[in-house]
Amino acid sequence: MGEPAPAPAAALDATEVLAAAQRCTWALADPGDFLNSEASEEILTVALSAVREDERTGYAQRLEAFADRHRGRLEELLRAYGPGSKPASHGRYMLAGQPESLIVCERMETAPFLLRARWDASLEELLLDDLEFAWGPATRLSR
């Protein structure tokens, strides 16, 4: 008898992950300031595509734990670059304050090279460049 087939990777529930992101720091931003839903969906899709198979189970809970660990840093990012800030008034840092940005920040910390590769293939680089600058240097190396 052969080896059993590996179990399929857990699927990510984008709605559940987005709801977790909205419960965190980003909920402080006015939803009226969020990007249109089409752009938001594209960002969410790309960010979640950078979640590796072995990280998918319980990802929403890990995202909430990430937000708890980095609450001060997230609040500072929102204050300095989010809607109503001086940089945002110049049309930059559009992702700061978006619920999806929490996922992007978590991926920048956990899998920055994978995120960048997925992002560059689908979305405008400036959006990620601005958020990377606002978030600051990664505190961990990519696995």
Side-chain angles (χ1 to χ4, degrees):
M1 297 204 154
E3 298 274 326
L12 277 172
D13 180 343
T15 303
E16 176 189 9
V17 174
L18 185 58
Q22 289 170 331
R23 287 190 296 269
C24 298
T25 301
W26 305 104
L28 299 173
D30 181 356
D33 292 327
F34 292 170
L35 294 173
N36 69 49
S37 62
E38 184 177 306
S40 178
E41 286 177 31
E42 287 180 70
I43 292 163
L44 180 62
T45 299
V46 170
L48 292 179
S49 77
V51 177
R52 295 180 293 255
E53 287 183 19
D54 64 325
E55 299 172 313
R56 291 180 184 170
T57 301
Y59 180 72
Q61 292 76 26
R62 282 199 304 281
L63 185 64
E64 289 174 330
F66 173 85
D68 287 343
R69 278 193 314 278
H70 295 282
R71 183 153 314 277
R73 191 173 175 190
L74 290 163
E75 289 171 352
E76 176 61 22
L77 184 147
L78 186 60
R79 186 196 62 71
Y81 297 98
S85 69
K86 187 171 184 169
S89 70
H90 296 290
R92 299 289 299 268
Y93 304 96
M94 292 178 6
L95 289 181
Q98 288 289 119
E100 300 82 5
S101 293
L102 178 61
I103 301 159
V104 175
C105 288
E106 187 276 334
R107 292 288 85 196
M108 285 191 293
E109 289 288 311
T110 307
F113 300 113
L114 178 58
L115 174 65
R116 176 56 77 173
R118 300 287 168 85
W119 193 281
D120 288 351
S122 303
L123 296 168
E124 183 181 342
E125 289 179 35
L126 184 62
L127 292 172
L128 185 57
D129 292 345
D130 281 350
L131 192 60
E132 283 178 336
F133 177 82
W135 181 245
T139 57
R140 314 175 30 166
L141 293 176
S142 175
R143 290 187 221 171

